Amino acid sequence: MGKNFSRIAAVLLAVSLHSLAPAAAFAYTFDSDVPANIKTQMLDDLSFVGTIQGSQASSLHQQIFGQVDGATYNQFFSSRVMSVGMNGCGDGNAVACVIPMEDSSKIWLTQNYIKFSHPQIARLMVVFHESRHTEDANNNWPHATCPTPFLDKDGSDMKSIWTGASLAGEPACDETPFGSYGSSMIMLKNISKFCTNCSDKVKMDAGIYADDQFKRVIAPDAIAQIQKDLYAGQ
Amino acid sequence: MQSPKKFLTGLAVVVLIVAVVSGLRVILNTQNNSKPDSVEATSPSGASAEGAGLLNSKAAAASPAPVPVTERDRQLDQILTQILASKNDNDKRLDTEFKNLSPGTKYLLKQKYAGLPAEARNERGTIVFLLGRDLANSGTVEDFKFFDQVGAEPPCRSLGDCSQETKAGPEDSHEESAIGVTLSYPQQVLMHTLQDYLSRQQASQTSQGGDSLVDPALHTLQVMAHSGNPSITAKAQELSNRYSHLKQ
């Protein structure tokens, strides 16, 4: 009798603790045609983001996301993305895209999400970049056209480091720190600087990808804001 | 009176023999614990071990000295295989297991790099990261020979097939930053490693007089500056200029 009572009590305790646990972090749904391995990888990546803890956050990061904190990132993503599907996204080398005219709260993934060997933080950068494009209230944060000529800090023509083609005139820049390029690089730079439970590699990767993406912010006042926020003293 | 003396002498001899035997056992046990289970100097193909499989690098022809590989080295190699397969870059073992690398572990890391396809950008970059992070602890000129080879690799043209040019799709300019960095990821990591190493040397030079590995590090930057990889050359030249005053 006593043993049975103990067992029942243990089960009740377990059930109670389970019900006290936070609600499922991932509110979005996956289309049935999303391959299991892609779904698993995305959930693994977002689970990792959900574990992040930070010692502090920059001012711009606080304005866009809040603290450097996994729950904050999950909330940011889950409040914007309602579903995940598969799409060719132009049949090129893209990993993900948002097609607002079709469904502005949906992220489309491509097979490249697992086919290509991106570091984990690069996959997340793209996914969070795309999640910013779901915001109808901000006109989906459209990109600005890169200026012509589009020169780097040394006065050289800014070219795709991949194809070598000039980026001048391409819709691949931002004029604000709050757009998709700006917000995702601010997220990564904060992870690089302030994450307290990330591996050395994750922090290094976050810095490398953030620094490169920063080059896509073109308005002088936006550049100055980000420099003051994240690169002061460097 | 001679009998006690003989007895004592005999006892002393026995004690001495026991001590010598015990000492030998201790030495043998110690050697067995760290005894390499193999000594590897060449790759399975018979090519230079350190350079096996690397791309068109003249340095790959150099024959490294035989490297002892212990059970622990092989264990670490297996751990890294698991981590890379998991695609979890935040695996804590990257920070707990891969520090103060032994020559055998470094040898196996370089072997693993050589055995990976060029398209394994994250995996290759992870190995460069592990070797580079440990430079201050275990760095050798041999490590920089390996870095020279990494820095001299031809540009990867496509994440699906490094040897093939692929036409960019309409969405690709949107993700060009991520794609571009990943294409050159091993070299980006190497650049980060060299910058970190040289900046530390610069900071410590006034107090400690610098480090004998500064020149190999500057040499690797020069290799990268002439690699023909447009995403790398300018930055490598910039760093080379910045730290050239450290040359010894």
Side-chain angles (χ1 to χ4, degrees), chain B residues 96-141:
Chain B
T96 57
E97 303 291 326
F98 292 91
K99 289 187 174 173
N100 296 304
L101 302 174
S102 72
T105 297
K106 291 201 289 185
Y107 167 79
L108 291 178
L109 289 179
K110 293 167 190 173
Q111 285 286 90
K112 187 181 288 296
Y113 186 101
L116 288 166
E119 293 76 22
R121 310 313 287 163
N122 186 45
E123 291 81 356
R124 284 187 162 205
T126 301
I127 291 171
V128 173
F129 161 75
L130 293 174
L131 291 166
R133 182 178 60 180
D134 212 48
L135 277 176
N137 295 322
S138 67
T140 65
V141 172

Side-chain angles (χ1 to χ4, degrees), chain A residues 33-84:
Chain A
D33 65 342
V34 177
N37 50 0
I38 292 181
K39 179 179 176 181
T40 299
Q41 186 63 62
M42 186 176 189
L43 290 174
D44 284 352
D45 292 342
L46 290 166
S47 291
F48 153 60
V49 164
T51 66
I52 286 179
Q53 297 167 6
S55 57
Q56 57 178 302
S58 75
S59 173
L60 287 170
H61 189 281
Q62 289 183 26
Q63 291 177 60
I64 298 168
F65 301 99
Q67 295 301 309
V68 174
D69 175 72
T72 302
Y73 292 135
N74 276 341
Q75 171 62 23
F76 181 93
F77 189 82
S78 294
S79 64
R80 286 163 175 76
V81 177
M82 298 297 115
S83 60
V84 180

Side-chain angles (χ1 to χ4, degrees), chain B residues 24-96:
Chain B
L24 279 173
R25 276 187 178 170
V26 169
I27 291 168
L28 285 172
N29 279 339
T30 306
Q31 284 179 338
N32 280 337
N33 285 339
S34 61
K35 183 183 173 185
D37 48 35
S38 63
V39 175
E40 302 188 25
T42 57
S43 68
S45 64
S48 160
E50 289 213 31
L54 290 179
L55 302 167
N56 303 325
S57 174
K58 290 177 182 174
S63 293
V67 177
V69 175
T70 65
E71 190 55 40
R72 174 62 179 160
D73 297 327
R74 294 197 185 284
Q75 188 184 15
L76 286 174
D77 186 54
Q78 288 172 1
I79 289 172
L80 183 59
T81 300
Q82 292 168 10
I83 294 172
L84 296 179
S86 75
K87 298 183 185 295
N88 175 15
D89 290 335
N90 203 42
D91 193 310
K92 297 305 172 204
R93 291 175 295 178
L94 288 171
D95 289 344
T96 57

